[in-house]
Amino acid sequence: MRIVFRIGGSVVASPINTELMSRYVELLKSVKQQGHEVAVVVGGGTLAREFINIAKNLGLGMQAQDEIAISVSRLFAQLFLKKFGDLACSKVAVTLEDAAECLAEGKVVVMGGLKPGITTDTVAALVAERVGADLLVKGTDQDGIYDKDPRKFADAVKLDHLSFDHLQNVLSETVHKAGIHQIIDPEAVKVLKHKRVKLIVVNGFTPENTMAAVNGEKVGTTVE
Ligand code: UTP
């Protein structure tokens, strides 16, 4: 399979967790060695948000803030890339074209942000679209997608399986009722829905969940 892995900055970079980063790289190396094609998209976590604040305090606009956050995410991407060694391309992909070329060379793609005005979720979806991926696995700080925000509602129920249409309803309800908590960016969902790329959202603090998702085991929430 051709698989895009989106590793949340909230998972490996808030605070920075080098042990978890190493475990991810080892695990994704074995996914690659199983014969899958692998692209990894990482976010900038709290460090990116700190830099966004610095930019804001300097009076810089939204575009500049985003550009700064993208640079931070690319720093994390570079750490992953170096840790992959020869299995990865020599540089962090900064365009979708880079990502496609890298994959065509048989290497692991590593990316951070792409352009201002989007999130890393959308980057992962755009990469998936560009390379015709079969699956996007998102490792995040919750066990999956709930019918409402589990941090706000004690009776929230985890959904094991749902359609893209149902997910869009859940996300719009969340925005409407409970503020901005978004388990996955609705923009990314639009792209995935359009291209029919299967999405599995798992708890990223246990990297083995990622492997379980690849192997078709019951884990997290599957959207298709
Ligand atoms: P994310 O919110 O996507 O990263 O990007 P994250 O740290 O992995 O987040 P979690 O773990 O899902 O919570 C951080 C910020 O970087 C900018 C945006 O401002 C975004 O909110 N960004 C990121 C871009 O402008 N363009 C990109 O392509 C990626």
Side-chain angles (χ1 to χ4, degrees):
M1 281 195 289
R2 202 165 268 187
I3 312 167
V4 179
F5 295 91
R6 153 88 174 104
I7 306 177
S10 54
V11 174
V12 290
S14 311
I16 293 165
N17 186 336
T18 47
E19 204 243 312
L20 199 52
M21 288 164 73
S22 299
R23 281 169 62 201
Y24 263 111
V25 171
E26 286 316 306
L27 201 119
L28 295 176
K29 277 183 178 171
S30 63
V31 171
K32 168 93 178 126
Q33 275 146 7
Q34 280 181 7
H36 299 295
E37 292 177 75
V38 174
V40 189
V41 181
V42 295
T46 46
L47 190 61
R49 275 151 192 111
E50 277 171 37
F51 269 85
I52 286 174
N53 272 331
I54 296 168
K56 218 181 279 173
N57 293 340
L58 279 171
L60 299 174
M62 288 289 280
Q63 169 147 352
Q65 292 169 28
D66 279 350
E67 285 169 6
I68 299 288
I70 291 167
S71 296
V72 174
S73 67
R74 285 179 179 160
L75 269 178
F76 283 105
Q78 198 177 5
L79 290 169
F80 274 88
L81 181 106
K82 297 290 178 195
K83 201 65 185 152
F84 271 109
D86 288 344
L87 280 186
C89 282
S90 57
K91 290 206 168 78
V92 167
V94 296
T95 64
L96 296 177
E97 204 45 50
D98 286 349
E101 276 172 22
C102 174
L103 214 58
E105 285 167 23
K107 301 279 190 179
V108 172
V109 178
V110 189
M111 262 186 115
L114 180 62
K115 60 182 181 191
I118 62 174
T119 64
T120 325
D121 281 348
T122 305
V123 176
L126 292 173
V127 172
E129 176 184 45
R130 177 67 178 79
V131 305
D134 305 286
L135 175 64
L136 169 59
V137 182
K138 176 169 182 180
T140 187
D141 56 359
Q142 285 176 45
D143 289 334
I145 300 172
Y146 289 72
D147 61 346
K148 48 193 156 183
D149 189 342
R151 291 186 287 206
K152 297 205 169 89
F153 299 93
D155 62 340
V157 176
K158 188 182 144 248
L159 305 166
D160 292 336
H161 201 280
L162 69 164
S163 67
F164 280 107
D165 289 335
H166 187 179
L167 174 59
Q168 285 176 319
N169 289 340
V170 170
L171 292 177
S172 61
E173 287 247 316
T174 309
V175 172
H176 191 64
K177 284 188 191 161
I180 313 171
H181 174 75
Q182 295 286 59
I183 185 116
I184 177 110
D185 183 344
E187 286 306 313
V189 174
K190 274 188 214 160
V191 176
L192 297 174
K193 180 184 173 185
H194 181 63
K195 288 286 160 183
R196 295 268 146 219
V197 180
K198 185 176 180 175
L199 166 69
I200 305 180
V201 178
V202 299
N203 186 325
F205 288 107
T206 307
E208 291 70 26
N209 285 339
T210 307
M211 187 61 114
V214 171
N215 292 335
E217 292 163 32
K218 193 169 169 283
V219 64
T221 299
T222 301
V223 189
E224 58 190 336

